[in-house]
């Protein structure tokens, strides 16, 4: 609950990046980040992920992969997604992955 509360105070860009990344599991591959960056809805996802690294929620692996700093951080990010949208978002991540 504490992590979710802290995340709720972050910018919309960081929150969106964390929620999207949470749908892919503990690690987000750089090719997925690039793919998402090409859409208008997620064009700033890389910036959001970089900011999440700065906040300590994510770790950058190499030059393009991102990983949650802990599985509880991923769970907290996933909990930010409204229940009515969780299936839609998770299904979308399966299609992209």
């Amino acid at each position: 609950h504490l992590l979710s509360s802290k995340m709720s105070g972050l910018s919309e860009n960081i929150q969106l990046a964390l929620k999207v990344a949470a749908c892919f599991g503990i690690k987000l591959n750089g090719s997925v980040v690039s793919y998402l960056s090409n859409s208008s809805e997620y064009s700033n996802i890389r910036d959001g992920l970089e900011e999440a690294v700065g906040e300590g929620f994510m770790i950058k692996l190499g030059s393009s992969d991102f990983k949650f700093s802990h599985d509880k951080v991923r769970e907290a990010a996933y909990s930010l997604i409204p229940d009515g949208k969780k299936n839609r978002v998770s299904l979308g991540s399966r299609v992209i992955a």
Side-chain angles (χ1 to χ4, degrees):
H1 181 71
L2 180 64
L3 283 171
S4 296
S5 296
K6 185 174 180 181
M7 287 178 183
S8 294
L10 297 172
S11 73
E12 290 289 322
N13 194 38
I14 299 173
Q15 284 186 47
L16 178 63
L18 289 170
K19 289 187 272 188
V20 170
C23 294
F24 288 92
I26 196 79
K27 183 180 171 189
L28 185 58
N29 186 292
S31 61
V32 173
V33 174
S34 293
Y35 179 82
L36 290 170
S37 295
N38 289 325
S39 72
S40 59
E41 187 176 2
Y42 303 113
S43 61
N44 294 324
I45 193 164
R46 186 175 305 278
D47 293 337
L49 292 167
E50 294 284 355
E51 292 176 55
V53 169
E55 293 288 335
F57 294 114
M58 306 279 300
I59 298 168
K60 192 164 185 183
L61 304 172
S63 63
S64 61
D65 293 351
F66 293 87
K67 171 182 149 177
F68 281 96
S69 56
H70 192 278
D71 62 324
K72 295 294 183 187
V73 174
R74 185 216 163 257
E75 290 174 18
Y78 191 75
S79 76
L80 295 175
I81 303 169
D83 288 334
K85 293 186 177 184
K86 285 184 180 174
N87 285 337
R88 188 179 132 230
V89 173
S90 292
L91 282 173
S93 69
R94 286 189 207 123
V95 171
I96 293 168

